[in-house]
Amino acid sequence: MADTEKNGAVVDGTKTILLVGVGGQGTILAGKLLATVAAGAGLDVKVSEIHGMSQRGGSVSTVIRLGEHVSTMVCDDGCADVVVAFEAVEALRAQHYLAEGGKMFVNDEEITPVSVNIGNFTMPERVDERLREMGAHLLDAGVIARGLGTPRSTNVVLVGALSTAMPFDAELWRDAVRACVPPATVEANLAAFDAGRDAALRGEAR
Amino acid sequence: MDKHLMSGNEAIAQGAWEAGVAVGVGYPGTPSTETLEALVRKDDVYCEWSPNEKVAFEVGLGAAIAGVRSLVTMKHVGVNVAADPFMAAASTGVNAGLVLLAADDPSCYSSQNEQDSRFYAAFGRIPCLDVADSQDCYEMARAAFELSERFDTPVMLHETMRIAHTRTLVAPAGAREAVAPRDYADDIPKYVMMPANAVKRRVVVDERQAELEAYAETCPFNHVEMRDEKIGVICAGAVYQHVRESLPEASTFKLGLAWPLPARALADFAASVDACYVIEEASDYFSSRVRALGIELAEPPAAPLPVAGELKPQVIRASFGVELPAHLVPATDLPPRPPAFCPGCPHRLVFCELRRLKAIVTGDIGCYTLGAVAPYGACHTVIDMGASLSMAHGMELAGAPERTGRPVVGVIGDSTFAHSGITSMLGTIYNGGTGTLCILDNRTTAMTGTQGNPVNGVTLTDSSHKIGPLDNPTGKALDLLALVRAMGVEDVVEVDAQDLQAVRSALKAAVANTEQLSVIVFKAPCRLIDRSRGKQPTIRDCRACGQCIKIGCPALGRAKDGTAVIDPTQCVGCDQCVQSCPFGCITKE
């Protein structure tokens, strides 16, 4: 895997992937899948999660760093080689983490926070346009997951898209899905992974 | 050797298990909680949740004195609760190994303060191990028991949130050490801390400190890594990882033993570099001690390091004048997305009604702290576990209801009531308080991830696989109403927290009763343990009055014309909005 960490390395041969979303969207499982793949490929890997109060519908993030030797587990400004946003407003909230030339995959859905519902704040303008300006790939991951009959697998659809930006064999990812999700949901999650990967590969990401 | 991805907490459980730990005990608290949840799944070890950290520490100490290795886990503020037995145990020593996991939370991700537990280790003069990744967690948890026995002292294992909740690769041996229980022998001079004995134990602690200071100089968990001799950095924990990232050429002294400090080794390190720095987060624990050793510390060239908050590599880079890569500026027009009560949360209607009453609400630690934020603003103090009930009494003594024309209501959750609320309530009852106290019994310890507690009777053994409330828990479930009555309260009622009219009238009656103390037990299961969904209501002829929006449900929004809309992906069919519409427009027809 010697070439792997050189591939797109920004900070001392280490790749940084930032997953952002809203508490309850499944960023932790997505992070676990990527970490399992990277560890399986013989790389050093660190996955930093936020637990506790933030999980109650607040903004959440997971940082995965992988390479030959990983030191810090957090992501500095301008250091995320890939950002995967499970929600569009959270993608904007993470924009300053994106590295120059980095990739961003965004689930093109907006979840209105309570602060907006109760009239104290408004949703931002031109969300999709701003995301495209920064080179983000917009995907209908939620639509794809619902189309498969498993709306809760949106996170794994996004992992499928993420897999196209990572130098690991698709079968390694499928093995990680089999190892990390509850046995009864393996088939559904494999389908979600393949659908997300296909959508990204076919350029359905807009 | 096979490597496994483990969180710091899982790795601590693995290390403790391999060291033959026989008893694990603690109170749930972010970021420490998963340690016992991982340990209880292993063979040949008994684990339990205590009502609070003081009890947990005492259980662990009892087990250690009786001869088996024990692990006690808690978050940083839990150490405050356990401080009394902790300080005494620092004098008595332990017999079998006793390890206290203290998990700090720099930047307060899920805590009421930012507190460095290592000061307690220095205060009690017990060894403190400081971990920087999961491999450290595993190795030091394993070694901590032996260290505890070698020096006959409790050992603190100190971690921060970034270590507890970061998965890194661990190469565990995988085998459990066969540790025979140590003999128990009566030893009154050692274990009975009456004055005559305590003054003698003080001398033992002094002698132990000298031995530990000698050990520190050769402790295998302190690592000197010489690189560029221009810059030397003394650091520990997650900060060590940030230093390696931000100043890769710097020489480092990584302290795996945070108390006592290796005075000679640190002085040698400082002398071997042109400029020696301490980099640490949210604390002056190391810098104040290293300076006290007579070691001169340099100030970062570009800017001082922040005194508060979690460090990141970019903060260190800024202080040392290292440029960050180009990046977009953060967006400034985004609505905040703080945590919120879940759709269907049984706390919601209680706080809506406390808001309607314009009550002064003394709150407590748990999800219901969110009663303080918009759209409720109905929680006015949150201090520590149990403070809600005793502070309501203090406000009554200050004449707050008469002087403000507002009722004072103390609000506490079920697990927090068992933790520290019972004695608070007892103080009010004993002294003739006449206020209103509410127990929000959502049948679980929700904030930390739905653990069992003495109120629901679900034990750690029951709940090790996160199965929510049980009809027949193996533990004894506390009868809250009987307890409150037995303590002497006559005006006590149980109310369905999901029934708006019942919540409203119970609160109204309780605050109207100014002759005696009123206690309301609001009961309904947390939505994280009761995931059943009701039928989603429909909205017809909405008048756009906004009353339903004011309940703050994440599943309720407004269309452009102001009418209410329900997000079907978030709605759980709980009926809270149905009950809140003043015109009956939201129905389940």
Side-chain angles (χ1 to χ4, degrees):
Chain A
M1 299 308 299
D3 293 339
T4 300
E5 70 271 358
K6 284 175 194 156
N7 210 349
V10 169
V11 185
D12 68 335
T14 304
K15 267 201 167 217
T16 304
I17 294 87
L18 174 63
L19 313 178
V20 297
V22 178
Q25 282 193 304
T27 53
I28 287 183
L29 173 66
K32 196 174 175 189
L33 290 173
L34 171 55
T36 303
V37 172
L43 294 177
D44 190 16
V45 57
K46 292 190 175 179
V47 190
S48 178
E49 303 161 352
I50 303 292
H51 296 204
M53 182 169 262
S54 318
Q55 285 182 295
R56 304 283 172 270
S59 303
V60 291
S61 63
T62 297
V63 176
I64 304 98
R65 304 196 71 230
L66 44 99
E68 201 164 350
H69 177 77
V70 178
S71 46
T72 187
M73 69 298 281
V74 299
C75 178
D76 277 349
D77 293 350
C79 290
D81 300 286
V82 185
V83 174
V84 182
F86 289 48
E87 194 269 350
V89 175
E90 294 310 310
L92 292 176
R93 208 185 301 281
Q95 66 184 28
H96 55 289
Y97 290 112
L98 189 62
E100 259 188 330
K103 283 191 176 173
M104 185 185 251
F105 295 98
V106 182
N107 178 26
D108 192 13
E109 291 184 328
E110 293 178 22
I111 298 175
T112 310
V114 170
S115 65
V116 171
N117 285 338
I118 61 177
N120 288 355
F121 290 87
T122 54
M123 289 297 266
E125 304 280 333
R126 303 170 44 245
V127 173
D128 284 6
E129 209 178 318
R130 286 160 65 180
L131 289 170
R132 286 200 188 91
E133 278 165 16
M134 64 180 87
H137 304 274
L138 275 61
L139 279 117
D140 292 316
V143 175
I144 292 171
R146 288 193 288 279
L148 292 168
T150 52
R152 293 189 61 184
S153 68
T154 305
N155 55 346
V156 181
V157 173
L158 286 163
V159 170
L162 166 65
S163 73
T164 64
M166 304 300 297
F168 303 116
D169 192 75
E171 207 43 47
L172 276 175
W173 288 93
R174 294 191 187 99
D175 287 344
V177 170
R178 290 183 193 102
C180 295
V181 307
T185 68
V186 167
E187 289 310 313
N189 279 301
L190 285 174
F193 172 81
D194 286 338
R197 186 174 170 90
D198 288 350
L201 286 175
R202 285 202 310 268
E204 280 177 20
R206 292 163 287 131
Chain B
M1 201 173 294
D2 271 359
K3 287 190 172 183
H4 303 271
L5 266 176
M6 290 186 187
S7 70
N9 287 340
E10 289 166 345
I12 289 167
Q14 179 69 26
W17 181 78
E18 288 188 16
V21 70
V23 172
V25 59
Y27 182 79
T30 313
S32 70
T33 314
E34 302 82 4
T35 313
L36 284 191
E37 290 179 332
L39 188 59
V40 74
R41 286 194 284 267
K42 298 181 182 297
D43 295 333
D44 303 324
V45 55
Y46 172 78
C47 296
E48 68 181 28
W49 293 126
S50 287
N52 67 34
E53 294 86 352
K54 175 183 181 292
V55 173
F57 191 91
E58 291 156 352
V59 171
L61 180 61
I65 290 176
V68 302
R69 292 184 168 183
S70 303
L71 175 69
V72 185
T73 72
M74 57 194 65
K75 68 184 295 175
H76 59 310
V77 285
V79 185
N80 301 337
V81 179
D84 202 357
F86 169 85
M87 290 303 289
S91 287
T92 63
V94 292
N95 192 20
L98 175 63
V99 176
L100 166 65
L101 169 65
D104 288 2
D105 190 12
S107 281
C108 304
Y109 285 87
S110 203
S111 302
Q112 71 265 37
N113 76 357
E114 193 174 59
Q115 175 185 306
D116 187 338
S117 300
R118 295 172 301 184
F119 283 100
Y120 274 110
F123 191 24
R125 295 190 282 160
I126 68 160
C128 177
L129 297 168
D130 219 342
V131 289
D133 59 21
S134 299
Q135 181 69 29
D136 270 4
C137 288
Y138 161 70
E139 288 177 17
M140 292 196 209
R142 224 189 129 142
F145 292 92
E146 205 181 295
L147 192 65
S148 171
E149 288 168 6
R150 176 173 163 194
F151 292 97
D152 191 20
T153 172
V155 170
M156 177 182 284
L157 185 60
H158 171 258
E159 66 173 356
T160 58
M161 181 281 277
R162 280 296 166 196
I163 303 302
H165 290 165
T166 295
R167 294 178 193 281
T168 71
L169 291 169
V170 180
R176 182 167 160 93
E177 206 178 313
V179 181
R182 293 185 156 217
D183 289 339
Y184 167 78
D186 291 345
D187 194 345
I188 289 172
K190 185 167 187 279
Y191 295 123
V192 178
M193 285 301 93
M194 60 192 354
N197 295 338
V199 290
K200 289 177 190 147
R201 290 302 300 177
R202 162 67 201 249
V203 178
V204 175
V205 173
D206 291 339
E207 291 163 0
R208 185 180 72 198
Q209 176 168 348
E211 290 166 19
L212 282 165
E213 283 169 353
Y215 165 78
E217 299 293 346
T218 57
C219 172
F221 298 120
N222 292 330
H223 292 290
V224 175
E225 298 162 13
M226 291 309 294
R227 286 175 278 267
D228 188 345
E229 288 173 1
K230 288 196 195 72
I231 298 182
V233 178
I234 298 166
C235 53
V239 175
Y240 165 78
Q241 309 292 359
H242 304 331
V243 168
R244 293 292 300 122
E245 187 77 30
S246 54
L247 305 171
E249 298 309 316
S251 298
T252 50
F253 196 126
K254 176 186 177 233
L255 285 161
L257 184 69
W259 195 93
L261 294 185
R264 277 200 312 280
L266 284 170
D268 290 348
F269 176 73
S272 71
V273 293
D274 295 348
C276 185
Y277 301 87
V278 164
I279 301 184
E280 57 189 332
E281 61 188 352
S283 180
D284 66 352
Y285 176 85
F286 283 133
S287 59
S288 60
R289 278 169 178 70
V290 171
R291 283 203 175 94
L293 294 173
I295 295 169
E296 195 184 332
L297 294 178
E299 290 300 329
L305 285 156
V307 294
E310 188 186 34
L311 278 189
K312 294 180 75 173
Q314 69 186 40
V315 177
I316 300 171
R317 284 187 173 117
S319 283
F320 283 81
V322 182
E323 260 188 58
L324 272 182
H327 59 88
L328 295 171
V329 296
T332 54
D333 62 337
L334 305 182
R337 197 190 300 273
F341 288 139
C342 303
C345 174
H347 299 327
R348 177 172 286 107
L349 296 179
V350 174
F351 282 96
C352 288
E353 290 308 302
L354 289 167
R355 175 180 61 191
R356 168 190 287 264
L357 277 176
K358 298 188 169 58
I360 299 173
V361 177
T362 52
D364 225 300
I365 309 287
C367 292
Y368 47 94
T369 300
L370 295 171
V373 303
Y376 313 103
C379 173
H380 305 98
T381 65
V382 173
I383 306 297
D384 72 294
M385 300 284 281
S388 55
L389 306 187
S390 20
M391 288 182 68
H393 182 54
M395 290 212 174
E396 185 187 349
L397 296 181
E402 298 79 12
R403 285 158 52 211
T404 63
R406 298 164 64 190
V408 174
V409 180
V411 176
I412 192 168
D414 49 347
S415 189
T416 310
F417 180 68
H419 179 288
S420 296
I422 296 172
T423 45
S424 295
M425 184 178 281
L426 194 57
T428 306
I429 296 164
Y430 165 53
N431 290 298
T434 60
T436 298
L437 305 179
C438 302
I439 303 171
L440 307 183
D441 180 8
N442 67 350
R443 313 305 299 148
T444 189
T445 312
M447 181 86 276
T448 45
T450 67
Q451 286 74 26
N453 65 50
V455 180
N456 59 37
V458 177
T459 66
L460 182 53
T461 317
D462 281 333
S463 59
S464 58
H465 300 290
K466 300 256 183 186
I467 42 182
L470 298 174
D471 291 335
N472 297 299
T474 54
K476 187 87 179 160
L478 175 64
D479 183 337
L480 284 176
L481 294 175
L483 173 71
V484 172
R485 284 197 191 102
M487 289 200 294
V489 179
E490 289 166 20
D491 181 12
V492 51
V493 290
E494 183 180 290
V495 174
D496 178 359
Q498 298 286 12
D499 181 338
L500 178 61
Q501 285 308 325
V503 171
R504 184 173 296 168
S505 47
L507 277 169
K508 197 174 164 189
V511 301
N513 181 358
T514 54
E515 298 298 307
Q516 59 180 165
L517 183 67
S518 304
V519 175
I520 309 170
V521 177
F522 289 109
K523 195 168 176 180
C526 170
R527 282 286 160 174
L528 298 176
I529 57 170
D530 176 7
R531 294 190 180 265
S532 63
R533 286 187 166 221
K535 188 185 172 199
Q536 185 190 314
T538 50
I539 304 178
R540 285 204 192 87
D541 306 324
C542 176
R543 306 187 192 188
C545 72
Q547 284 302 310
C548 62
I549 301 299
K550 286 185 185 164
I551 73 171
C553 177
L556 271 177
R558 297 183 95 161
K560 290 249 173 356
D561 63 359
T563 56
V565 287
I566 295 171
D567 175 354
T569 63
Q570 295 202 65
C571 177
V572 296
C574 69
D575 280 3
Q576 291 175 351
C577 59
V578 173
Q579 300 175 76
S580 302
C581 177
F583 304 108
C585 300
I586 311 180
T587 63
K588 284 206 164 172
E589 295 313 310

